[in-house]
Amino acid sequence: MDHVHFMNLALKEAEIGGENHEVPIGALIVSHEGNIIASNYNQVITLSDPSAHAEILVLREASRKILNYRLLKTTIYVTVEPCIMCMGAIIHARVAKIVFGTYDPKWGACGSLYDFSNDNRLNHHPEIISGVCENECKQVIQNFFRMKRSFCGKYRNYWNTVGR
């Protein structure tokens, strides 16, 4: 599979999320034949749902499309390393492979903070491929938080009232 191609599509989803004032993380699920089953971006604020991470949204959509909660032989592409919540869901769904762009040292569960993929107590161990389009993925997230910090400094009262 062309990991760079699919990661670039995930980056486009992340950019849409950022334009909607969401943390710009994009994800997609691809079948073993190379067909995109689902794609989305973080929508925690939009949906008022703490579980509305890009990975969770694509897992839900893909499961509905194939009428099965097991997403066997699929690959999830995500711009930032999945968090502990998302890794739990990915493992439960039996996704075969996780491809991500940049590590998340504060929440990551694919090797930076935790490594659920190598935890022998769990019954599924997805293959992990990291660093695909790493610089681009890192740049998108860093630019978003840089802008947010700048905006918050100037418009702190507004930012607090809209919950962002």
Side-chain angles (χ1 to χ4, degrees):
M1 281 214 218
D2 184 352
H3 297 318
V4 172
H5 168 72
F6 290 118
M7 189 60 71
N8 280 319
L9 296 175
L11 275 163
K12 287 181 182 176
E13 291 291 335
E15 289 170 10
I16 295 168
E19 291 166 3
N20 287 294
H21 307 287
E22 298 281 356
V23 174
I25 298 173
L28 49 105
I29 294 186
V30 178
S31 71
H32 69 281
E33 295 97 0
N35 299 316
I36 297 171
I37 302 170
S39 63
N40 218 321
Y41 54 88
N42 274 14
Q43 295 188 50
V44 173
I45 295 166
T46 303
L47 299 175
S48 299
D49 180 353
S51 70
H53 289 197
E55 301 95 320
I56 299 297
L57 295 175
V58 296
L59 289 170
R60 289 175 182 162
E61 182 182 344
S63 294
R64 280 192 302 269
K65 282 184 177 177
I66 69 166
L67 302 175
N68 193 337
Y69 71 103
R70 297 282 194 230
L71 299 171
L72 306 172
K73 299 181 184 179
T74 61
T75 300
I76 187 167
Y77 290 85
V78 60
T79 55
V80 177
E81 177 185 12
C83 71
I84 55 178
M85 172 184 69
C86 293
M87 269 305 283
I90 290 166
I91 290 169
H92 277 292
R94 304 299 193 270
V95 171
K97 189 180 303 183
I98 301 167
V99 179
F100 69 89
T102 189
Y103 281 97
D104 182 352
K106 293 184 179 183
W107 287 98
C110 291
S112 61
L113 186 61
Y114 300 101
D115 191 353
F116 287 4
S117 66
N118 283 324
D119 189 328
N120 290 328
R121 297 169 294 180
L122 301 174
N123 65 348
H124 179 68
H125 304 96
E127 178 186 349
I128 306 293
I129 299 172
S130 62
V132 176
C133 302
E134 182 175 12
N135 292 334
E136 296 91 330
C137 293
K138 190 180 294 187
Q139 192 71 41
V140 167
I141 202 91
Q142 287 176 340
N143 287 347
F144 175 81
F145 284 111
R146 191 174 297 121
M147 182 275 307
K148 183 176 176 182
R149 283 190 297 274
S150 173
F151 184 81
C152 282
K154 293 177 185 175
Y155 304 100
R156 184 170 312 283
N157 290 337
Y158 170 76
W159 195 260
N160 288 337
T161 61
V162 295
R164 298 184 171 134

